Every structure is written in structure tokens, then in C-alpha cells.
Amino acid sequence: MITLKLNGQDHQLDVTEDMPLLWAIRDVAGYNGTKFGCGMGLCGACTIHIEGAPARSCITPIGSVVGQNVSTIDNLHADPVGQIVQQAWLDTAVAQCGYCQGGQIMSATALLKTNPNPSDEQIEEAMVGNICRCGTYNRIKTAIRQASTHLKEAKA
């Protein structure tokens, strides 16, 4: 049994330490917001947060995160910055097919938590590796800029 601190709760999972975190999250713990994309950590669809930092769950063994806080898109509504990012995504109508957007939102939220006022270059750097086959990159940047503006207004 492995105890996974997932979305603020301890989950006792009967899995091996080398099981990819993605499969433990989806198939064992039952959180299906995190998506399988490439299985090699290249596309970003499976992005989650480990201690607040973005990580690719498809290549992260569950044994490597024991004792650490893991968060998924399924619980991002409980995060104030995550709420702002999700609303910016809706306001900007980012999603087309939507498959990659959970990973995109997780990466954007991690960026804005560490840098609430990123430059365009910093946004592009933080989002590299999150692939959108529909090509919504300009709307993604617009949504991140909008979320950044809302974060600044909230602090004022």
C-alpha cells in the first residue's frame, strides 16, 4: 500500500512504486481530469502539481511522490489562483477540443503562483512542452495575461 497525498486527502492505494502517477490518479484513485496524451512526458496533457510545481504524471513513478502534496485539475477550483486561471480560460474561450486544456491550465497556474506578472517570453517558456493540436496558443497567452491582470487587481 502506498499513501498518496492527492488533492488534499490521503489515499491508500494498492499499487507498485513504479506505477506511473497518471494511472494511479486516474485508474486507482478515480480522478479523471488528468489526461493521457503521449505517455512520454512530451505533450503536457497529464500535467499535475507536485508541491506546487508542474510535473508530467505519465512519467513520474508514484513511489517518487510519497509524502508530497499532489494536486490535479480535479481540485483546482479550491485554489484561488486556479480559480482565476480557470475563469480566464472561460472568458477567453481558449478551449477548442479541450483535451489538452487541463494540463495547460495546471502549467499556467503554476507559473502565476511563482510569477504573477510574467512577460510574454516567460509565459512562452513556462508553457513550452504543453502541446495543443488545435493551435489555441494565442488564446492561451491571452488568458494567462488576463489572469495576471486579475491577480494584480485582487492585490490592489
Side-chain angles (χ1 to χ4, degrees):
M1 290 297 260
I2 292 179
T3 301
L4 179 63
K5 292 182 180 183
L6 180 61
N7 293 331
Q9 298 179 344
D10 284 345
H11 294 266
Q12 296 292 323
L13 306 178
D14 188 13
V15 298
T16 61
E17 289 188 4
D18 62 345
M19 174 182 257
L21 186 55
L22 173 64
W23 302 123
I25 290 168
R26 286 184 61 81
D27 295 347
V28 182
Y31 292 89
N32 61 9
T34 305
K35 303 297 184 208
F36 174 81
C38 66
M40 297 182 292
L42 302 172
C43 74
C46 70
T47 303
I48 46 99
H49 293 168
I50 301 171
E51 295 294 338
R56 304 299 196 245
S57 63
C58 71
I59 58 170
T60 304
I62 190 171
S64 71
V65 299
V66 172
Q68 298 181 59
N69 293 308
V70 176
S71 301
T72 70
I73 189 75
D74 302 285
N75 199 47
L76 202 60
H77 66 278
D79 180 308
V81 175
Q83 290 173 8
I84 290 170
V85 172
Q86 287 178 318
Q87 189 59 55
W89 244 250
L90 292 171
D91 293 346
T92 311
V94 171
Q96 221 167 305
C97 85
Y99 194 83
C100 70
Q101 296 305 312
Q104 301 275 3
I105 290 169
M106 293 299 284
S107 291
T109 300
L111 166 65
L112 292 174
K113 287 181 124 186
T114 60
N115 182 358
N117 190 24
S119 67
D120 284 348
E121 183 178 287
Q122 291 167 323
I123 291 171
E124 289 172 12
E125 184 178 311
M127 300 305 290
V128 74
N130 284 88
I131 297 171
C132 175
R133 294 198 55 166
C134 299
T136 64
Y137 300 111
N138 288 331
R139 285 184 284 185
I140 289 168
K141 281 195 253 181
T142 299
I144 293 170
R145 284 189 216 106
Q146 178 180 320
S148 174
T149 299
H150 285 289
L151 287 169
K152 286 184 267 185
E153 290 170 355
K155 288 185 178 183

